[in-house]
Amino acid sequence: MSTPSPAPKEPRGEQLHEVSGLKKVVVFGASGHAKVVIDILVKQGVYGVVGLLDKFKPAGFLCEGKPVIGPIADLPRLLQQNEGLGVIVAVGDNWIRSRIVEEILGLCPDIEFCQAIHPSAQIASSAVIGRGTVIMPGAVVNAGSSVGEFCILNTRSSLDHDSTMDAFSSLSPAATTGGNVHIGPYSNIGMGATLIQGVSVGQHTVIGAGAVVFRCMPDNIVAYGMPAKVVRSRQPGDRYLAETPSVF
């Protein structure tokens, strides 16, 4: 009588996926946005994704073929056991992403935050890209532009010359700007929206999908339309994405 095979063990932090010749990185998040980030990291050919951290998904849950290996509290142990381990926060909501980064820095102040930049993105040689930033397929960052820490430039978005995105801001898919534009921290430019040259958008502001912004927009508002008009106020952390992040 044959002996039954033992049940497979749940993945733990010390049992990371092996990567050969690549820098090890863990991804925080296991949602749709995380799938895109993982795909970008694989295509970069620089980082090897060894697992995911997530607060609510169980160990062993797969996202784009990569397993959840534990919650964020496991990060100090993982870092201790894997010298040089990097991390990237794959959460689309700007405010929640910032809270997670703050939590990670509280646990591991010296950890390296990696960039995810798709090979098809066009980045000018004079552009500056901050740590932890994600730049998706077909995105453009033109000459003299500066992208702050932990920003997102979604698929086919475009930041024109001499423009600035402050930390934790984001361009949604196909959002575009003219030159000399400034986007404040935590602000989001919606799908297909356009900012004409020289305008600024304040902090914690959301520009709706398809809007055309002809004038500067203040802090803490929602604006949409063509031309874009202020519709209402908003508070830091107010939800603006359809998908509720499952990691905070």
Side-chain angles (χ1 to χ4, degrees), residues 28-29 53-58 68 70-73 100 103 246-248:
F28 191 92
L53 300 176
D54 192 279
K55 288 189 171 182
F56 300 112
K57 298 292 195 304
V68 170
I72 193 171
I100 294 168
E103 187 174 356
S246 62
V247 291
F248 196 75

Side-chain angles (χ1 to χ4, degrees), residues 36-124:
V36 180
V37 171
I38 292 166
D39 181 71
I40 293 171
L41 290 169
V42 170
K43 287 183 167 63
Q44 275 183 274
V46 175
Y47 302 110
V49 179
V50 295
L52 315 180
L53 300 176
D54 192 279
K55 288 189 171 182
F56 300 112
K57 298 292 195 304
F61 176 88
L62 293 178
C63 177
E64 200 66 12
K66 306 296 181 180
V68 170
I69 56 177
I72 193 171
D74 284 351
L75 191 56
R77 176 173 56 83
L78 293 173
L79 187 60
Q80 184 178 28
Q81 295 171 347
N82 298 272
E83 184 178 357
L85 183 70
V87 64
I88 189 164
V89 179
V91 174
D93 183 283
N94 294 337
W95 177 254
I96 295 178
R97 189 167 65 258
S98 74
R99 300 302 91 197
I100 294 168
V101 168
E102 182 178 311
E103 187 174 356
I104 289 172
L105 288 173
L107 292 169
C108 304
D110 299 322
I111 197 165
E112 178 185 349
F113 287 94
C114 305
Q115 298 172 335
I117 301 176
H118 195 277
S120 69
Q122 301 297 310
I123 313 295

Side-chain angles (χ1 to χ4, degrees), residues 12-244:
R12 292 185 54 82
E14 64 271 16
Q15 297 173 323
L16 301 181
H17 273 196
E18 290 298 323
V19 290
S20 178
L22 300 174
K23 180 175 177 57
K24 292 181 179 180
V25 60
V26 291
V27 174
F28 191 92
S31 64
H33 182 74
K35 290 181 180 181
V36 180
V37 171
I38 292 166
D39 181 71
I40 293 171
L41 290 169
V42 170
K43 287 183 167 63
Q44 275 183 274
V46 175
Y47 302 110
V49 179
V50 295
L52 315 180
L53 300 176
D54 192 279
K55 288 189 171 182
F56 300 112
K57 298 292 195 304
F61 176 88
L62 293 178
C63 177
E64 200 66 12
K66 306 296 181 180
V68 170
I69 56 177
I72 193 171
D74 284 351
L75 191 56
R77 176 173 56 83
L78 293 173
L79 187 60
Q80 184 178 28
Q81 295 171 347
N82 298 272
E83 184 178 357
L85 183 70
V87 64
I88 189 164
V89 179
V91 174
D93 183 283
N94 294 337
W95 177 254
I96 295 178
R97 189 167 65 258
S98 74
R99 300 302 91 197
I100 294 168
V101 168
E102 182 178 311
E103 187 174 356
I104 289 172
L105 288 173
L107 292 169
C108 304
D110 299 322
I111 197 165
E112 178 185 349
F113 287 94
C114 305
Q115 298 172 335
I117 301 176
H118 195 277
S120 69
Q122 301 297 310
I123 313 295
S125 58
S126 58
V128 177
I129 311 296
R131 64 176 178 164
T133 283
V134 174
I135 302 181
M136 294 190 181
V140 176
V141 181
N142 271 328
S145 288
S146 176
V147 178
E149 296 182 335
F150 309 106
C151 292
I152 299 173
L153 282 82
N154 265 282
T155 308
R156 294 194 299 108
S157 61
S158 176
L159 186 70
D160 210 352
H161 67 86
D162 302 300
S163 293
T164 302
M165 291 179 65
D166 288 341
F168 298 103
S169 61
S170 59
L171 295 178
S172 297
T176 61
T177 83
N180 295 286
V181 161
H182 176 242
I183 301 170
Y186 307 97
S187 290
N188 170 257
I189 311 304
M191 294 178 65
T194 300
L195 309 184
I196 70 161
Q197 66 274 8
V199 301
S200 63
V201 173
Q203 62 182 343
H204 297 288
T205 282
V206 172
I207 304 299
V212 180
V213 179
F214 290 101
R215 61 183 179 87
C216 297
M217 291 291 165
D219 300 342
N220 301 301
I221 59 95
V222 174
Y224 53 79
M226 187 174 63
K229 296 180 180 179
V230 176
V231 176
R232 60 177 173 85
S233 62
R234 69 183 301 270
Q235 296 299 313
D238 283 354
R239 178 179 167 185
Y240 64 92
L241 294 177
E243 181 182 51
T244 303

